[in-house]
Amino acid sequence: MEPEVKQDTSVDINAPESGQIRKMSSSEQAKEQWQKLGEQASSFLAELPAYIAAFFNEYRRPLITIGLFLAVIVFAKVALAILGAINEIPLLAPTFETIGIAYAAWFVYRYMLKASTRSELSSDFASVKEQILGQRNQFMDKFNKDI
């Protein structure tokens, strides 16, 4: 068997005269393919902002949730790193512990020993809770209306 010889039979549409057919070399074919790829890439890049906007509009809530979740993780890691660095400073950790114990003792003395002060604390807590939940409900109504 003889080896088959593959001949290039591609046709150049932009031939100098109509009706003429000329064979394209492999470098011209490669150049034409690169031009087609370039045109496809430029058309994709031209439409990319529209694709991104459509994607964001369709998946707005999950993207916001994921972003907030990642922000909380980053914040927690930074806060723990700062607390770890503060804990390494000599005499600072025991000082903060002493301040915390003193505040806890004052809080118990001020609010927990008598029934009247406990009821005062309970009413203060209820008013703060109402303020927070009232603002939260207004915020959620506005947030849901915007979306």
Side-chain angles (χ1 to χ4, degrees):
M1 262 177 41
E2 293 182 24
E4 290 185 33
V5 176
K6 204 173 198 182
Q7 292 185 353
D8 188 8
T9 58
S10 59
V11 177
D12 186 5
I13 296 174
N14 299 323
E17 295 179 20
S18 62
Q20 270 190 339
I21 298 176
R22 80 174 174 94
K23 291 185 178 181
M24 293 177 63
S25 68
S26 61
S27 64
E28 288 175 337
Q29 285 179 345
K31 185 177 179 182
E32 186 176 316
Q33 287 178 348
W34 277 109
Q35 286 177 344
K36 286 181 183 178
L37 285 174
E39 289 172 3
Q40 289 176 349
S42 67
S43 68
F44 174 76
L45 291 175
E47 295 174 4
L48 187 62
Y51 290 143
I52 292 173
F55 179 81
F56 183 75
N57 285 334
E58 187 173 343
Y59 299 107
R60 179 181 292 181
R61 282 190 179 199
L63 288 174
I64 290 173
T65 303
I66 290 170
L68 289 174
F69 183 70
L70 292 175
V72 166
I73 290 174
V74 169
F75 176 77
K77 287 197 174 251
V78 168
L80 288 174
I82 290 171
L83 289 175
I86 288 173
N87 198 28
E88 295 296 319
I89 298 173
L91 294 178
L92 199 56
T95 304
F96 284 146
E97 287 176 11
T98 305
I99 292 170
I101 291 170
Y103 180 77
W106 172 82
F107 186 83
V108 167
Y109 174 75
R110 169 69 175 91
Y111 291 109
M112 297 293 155
L113 291 181
K114 298 178 186 172
S116 61
T117 56
R118 285 193 299 270
S119 65
E120 176 188 345
L121 178 65
S122 176
S123 65
D124 288 346
F125 181 74
S127 68
V128 169
K129 180 180 171 184
E130 181 63 34
Q131 288 176 353
I132 291 172
L133 291 179
Q135 291 174 354
R136 180 182 174 270
N137 288 337
Q138 292 170 358
F139 171 74
M140 291 304 290
D141 291 342
K142 184 179 178 184
F143 181 73
N144 289 332
K145 192 183 301 178
D146 289 343
I147 292 178

